[in-house]
Amino acid sequence: MLEERTMDDGNADKCQTACFHPEVVGQVSSAMPVERELQEVAQLFKVLGDHTRIRILHALYRSELCVCDLTAILGMNQSAVSHQLRVLRDARIVRSRKQGKNVLYSLDDTHIAELIRLGSEHVQEGTA
Amino acid sequence: MLEERTMDDGNADKCQTACFHPEVVGQVSSAMPVERELQEVAQLFKVLGDHTRIRILHALYRSELCVCDLTAILGMNQSAVSHQLRVLRDARIVRSRKQGKNVLYSLDDTHIAELIRLGSEHVQEGTA
DNA sequence: CCAACATATGAATCTTGACTCATCTATCGT
DNA sequence: ACGATAGATGAGTCAAGATTCATATGTTGG
């Protein structure tokens, strides 16, 4: 459902006067990525944007861990952890493999560690 | 409110048997960043994890824009855009400067463009 | 100063999503 | 096969947050 957006759509309340840069609006509009990609990027960040899940990822960054280890590390109940692991699995951010009664989780993608590293850098600069 | 977390906290239901790697749990626990940093990183990603805000950032990545330009580009009402710009401003992700009746917004930090680039890479690989 | 317009913001609404509880499946040891 | 444990999952609850509506603030031109 990709919308071709031009300046005179009429479906939005826009400046009556010529705004600031009507030409720029056109350029920027046509340079926008397709809706599907925007949606997926937002989804990725949404998954990373949760306290519990960030903690899980920080933990998995150090070591492959089973659910029950994570439960202990995070100090929360097993169901909550499993639910969040599912979100991370669905987003292809973590991977799981079975070993006996346990299921071992690890980071799936190198981009993720890099994203978290960059994010941490950003907040640390802000605090400095 | 930084919690020293060790394996025998007792406030979580954890494996009765020795889980998988009790020693690793200890190591990972003590390597966890302080709560404040985790919270801030999660908050940063949460702000990036919204469809509207991602579109705003993609637009600002191309050019400095006033609210009314953004309203036209996104095709949504001015109030919604302003509210989201406030969230982005509070997170120090965008910056604003006033020019006459208009307020011009731009990306505040180089990390942000990099984060979005990495995020896009990740989703594009997944789709490929 | 006044009218018109650009932007900001508070309150209300409605959706999304995190956590809990109960339960289900799978695997191991006996 | 049975009991016990690890993990997954659906339903329900509750809080956070995105959008809308109405209105306030601030700026420009007359």
Short mmCIF file of all heavy atoms in Angstrom, two decimals, chain B residues 3-26:
data_model
loop_
_atom_site.label_atom_id
_atom_site.label_comp_id
_atom_site.label_asym_id
_atom_site.label_seq_id
_atom_site.Cartn_x
_atom_site.Cartn_y
_atom_site.Cartn_z
N GLU B 3 20.64 -2.33 41.36
CA GLU B 3 20.59 -3.54 42.17
C GLU B 3 21.79 -4.43 41.89
O GLU B 3 22.08 -4.76 40.77
CB GLU B 3 19.36 -4.40 41.85
CG GLU B 3 18.13 -3.66 41.48
CD GLU B 3 17.05 -4.66 41.13
OE1 GLU B 3 17.05 -5.76 41.70
OE2 GLU B 3 16.19 -4.33 40.28
N GLU B 4 22.44 -4.80 42.92
CA GLU B 4 23.44 -5.84 42.84
C GLU B 4 22.71 -7.16 42.73
O GLU B 4 22.03 -7.59 43.66
CB GLU B 4 24.27 -5.87 44.12
CG GLU B 4 25.23 -4.73 44.27
CD GLU B 4 26.51 -4.96 43.48
OE1 GLU B 4 27.01 -6.11 43.56
OE2 GLU B 4 26.98 -4.04 42.80
N ARG B 5 22.80 -7.78 41.59
CA ARG B 5 22.05 -9.02 41.42
C ARG B 5 22.99 -10.21 41.50
O ARG B 5 23.96 -10.30 40.76
CB ARG B 5 21.31 -9.02 40.09
CG ARG B 5 20.56 -10.31 39.84
CD ARG B 5 19.52 -10.15 38.78
NE ARG B 5 18.59 -9.11 39.10
CZ ARG B 5 17.73 -9.19 40.10
NH1 ARG B 5 17.68 -10.25 40.88
NH2 ARG B 5 16.91 -8.20 40.32
N THR B 6 22.68 -11.11 42.40
CA THR B 6 23.45 -12.34 42.47
C THR B 6 22.51 -13.51 42.26
O THR B 6 21.30 -13.32 42.19
CB THR B 6 24.15 -12.48 43.83
OG1 THR B 6 23.17 -12.32 44.85
CG2 THR B 6 25.21 -11.43 43.99
N MET B 7 23.06 -14.69 42.18
CA MET B 7 22.24 -15.83 41.81
C MET B 7 21.19 -16.19 42.84
O MET B 7 20.15 -16.73 42.52
CB MET B 7 23.11 -17.05 41.58
CG MET B 7 23.69 -17.11 40.20
SD MET B 7 25.25 -17.95 40.29
CE MET B 7 26.17 -16.88 41.38
N ASP B 8 21.46 -15.88 44.09
CA ASP B 8 20.53 -16.34 45.13
C ASP B 8 19.65 -15.20 45.65
O ASP B 8 19.53 -15.00 46.85
CB ASP B 8 21.32 -16.98 46.27
CG ASP B 8 22.59 -16.22 46.55
OD1 ASP B 8 22.67 -15.03 46.15
OD2 ASP B 8 23.49 -16.78 47.16
N ASP B 9 19.07 -14.46 44.74
CA ASP B 9 18.21 -13.37 45.13
C ASP B 9 16.94 -13.84 45.82
O ASP B 9 16.47 -13.21 46.75
CB ASP B 9 17.80 -12.56 43.90
CG ASP B 9 18.76 -11.43 43.67
OD1 ASP B 9 18.92 -10.64 44.58
OD2 ASP B 9 19.36 -11.40 42.59
N GLY B 10 16.39 -14.91 45.29
CA GLY B 10 15.20 -15.43 45.91
C GLY B 10 13.93 -14.72 45.51
O GLY B 10 12.84 -15.18 45.84
N ASN B 11 14.02 -13.60 44.79
CA ASN B 11 12.80 -12.91 44.41
C ASN B 11 12.26 -13.38 43.05
O ASN B 11 11.29 -12.89 42.56
CB ASN B 11 13.01 -11.40 44.37
CG ASN B 11 14.05 -11.02 43.34
OD1 ASN B 11 14.76 -11.89 42.83
ND2 ASN B 11 14.14 -9.75 43.04
N ALA B 12 12.89 -14.37 42.46
CA ALA B 12 12.42 -14.87 41.18
C ALA B 12 12.29 -16.39 41.23
O ALA B 12 13.02 -17.06 41.95
CB ALA B 12 13.41 -14.49 40.09
N ASP B 13 11.32 -16.89 40.48
CA ASP B 13 11.24 -18.34 40.39
C ASP B 13 12.32 -18.80 39.43
O ASP B 13 12.29 -18.51 38.25
CB ASP B 13 9.86 -18.78 39.91
CG ASP B 13 9.45 -18.09 38.63
OD1 ASP B 13 10.11 -17.09 38.25
OD2 ASP B 13 8.50 -18.53 38.02
N LYS B 14 13.29 -19.47 39.93
CA LYS B 14 14.39 -19.92 39.07
C LYS B 14 14.48 -21.44 39.14
O LYS B 14 13.80 -22.08 39.93
CB LYS B 14 15.68 -19.25 39.49
CG LYS B 14 15.98 -19.36 40.98
CD LYS B 14 17.18 -18.50 41.32
CE LYS B 14 17.51 -18.61 42.81
NZ LYS B 14 16.35 -18.29 43.67
N CYS B 15 15.32 -21.98 38.31
CA CYS B 15 15.43 -23.44 38.24
C CYS B 15 15.77 -24.00 39.61
O CYS B 15 16.64 -23.49 40.30
CB CYS B 15 16.54 -23.86 37.31
SG CYS B 15 16.65 -22.84 35.85
N GLN B 16 15.08 -25.03 39.98
CA GLN B 16 15.42 -25.68 41.24
C GLN B 16 16.72 -26.46 41.09
O GLN B 16 17.59 -26.42 41.93
CB GLN B 16 14.31 -26.66 41.68
CG GLN B 16 13.12 -25.97 42.30
CD GLN B 16 12.07 -25.60 41.28
OE1 GLN B 16 12.32 -25.69 40.08
NE2 GLN B 16 10.92 -25.18 41.73
N THR B 17 16.82 -27.17 39.99
CA THR B 17 18.09 -27.83 39.69
C THR B 17 19.05 -26.74 39.24
O THR B 17 18.67 -25.59 39.10
CB THR B 17 17.91 -28.85 38.57
OG1 THR B 17 17.62 -28.15 37.37
CG2 THR B 17 16.78 -29.79 38.89
N ALA B 18 20.27 -27.11 39.01
CA ALA B 18 21.29 -26.10 38.79
C ALA B 18 21.25 -25.45 37.41
O ALA B 18 22.25 -24.98 36.92
CB ALA B 18 22.67 -26.70 39.04
N CYS B 19 20.08 -25.39 36.81
CA CYS B 19 19.98 -24.75 35.50
C CYS B 19 21.00 -25.32 34.56
O CYS B 19 21.30 -26.49 34.60
CB CYS B 19 20.23 -23.25 35.59
SG CYS B 19 18.82 -22.28 35.89
N PHE B 20 21.54 -24.42 33.81
CA PHE B 20 22.54 -24.85 32.86
C PHE B 20 23.91 -24.42 33.34
O PHE B 20 24.76 -25.21 33.68
CB PHE B 20 22.25 -24.26 31.49
CG PHE B 20 23.07 -24.86 30.41
CD1 PHE B 20 22.98 -26.22 30.15
CD2 PHE B 20 23.93 -24.09 29.66
CE1 PHE B 20 23.76 -26.79 29.15
CE2 PHE B 20 24.70 -24.65 28.66
CZ PHE B 20 24.62 -26.01 28.41
N HIS B 21 24.13 -23.14 33.50
CA HIS B 21 25.44 -22.61 33.88
C HIS B 21 25.34 -21.61 35.02
O HIS B 21 25.39 -20.41 34.77
CB HIS B 21 26.09 -21.90 32.69
CG HIS B 21 26.71 -22.82 31.69
ND1 HIS B 21 26.52 -22.67 30.34
CD2 HIS B 21 27.53 -23.89 31.84
CE1 HIS B 21 27.19 -23.62 29.69
NE2 HIS B 21 27.80 -24.38 30.58
N PRO B 22 25.25 -22.07 36.24
CA PRO B 22 25.14 -21.13 37.36
C PRO B 22 26.29 -20.13 37.41
O PRO B 22 26.06 -18.96 37.74
CB PRO B 22 25.15 -22.03 38.60
CG PRO B 22 25.09 -23.42 38.11
CD PRO B 22 25.16 -23.46 36.64
N GLU B 23 27.49 -20.55 37.08
CA GLU B 23 28.63 -19.60 37.14
C GLU B 23 28.47 -18.50 36.10
O GLU B 23 28.74 -17.34 36.37
CB GLU B 23 29.96 -20.29 36.92
CG GLU B 23 29.96 -21.81 37.03
CD GLU B 23 29.43 -22.48 35.77
OE1 GLU B 23 29.86 -22.07 34.67
OE2 GLU B 23 28.58 -23.39 35.89
N VAL B 24 28.03 -18.91 34.91
CA VAL B 24 27.84 -17.93 33.86
C VAL B 24 26.80 -16.89 34.27
O VAL B 24 26.96 -15.70 34.01
CB VAL B 24 27.41 -18.62 32.55
CG1 VAL B 24 27.12 -17.60 31.47
CG2 VAL B 24 28.48 -19.59 32.10
N VAL B 25 25.77 -17.35 34.94
CA VAL B 25 24.74 -16.43 35.40
C VAL B 25 25.36 -15.34 36.28
O VAL B 25 25.05 -14.16 36.13
CB VAL B 25 23.64 -17.18 36.19
CG1 VAL B 25 22.71 -16.20 36.88
CG2 VAL B 25 22.86 -18.07 35.25
N GLY B 26 26.24 -15.76 37.15
CA GLY B 26 26.92 -14.79 38.01
C GLY B 26 27.75 -13.81 37.21
O GLY B 26 27.67 -12.59 37.41
#
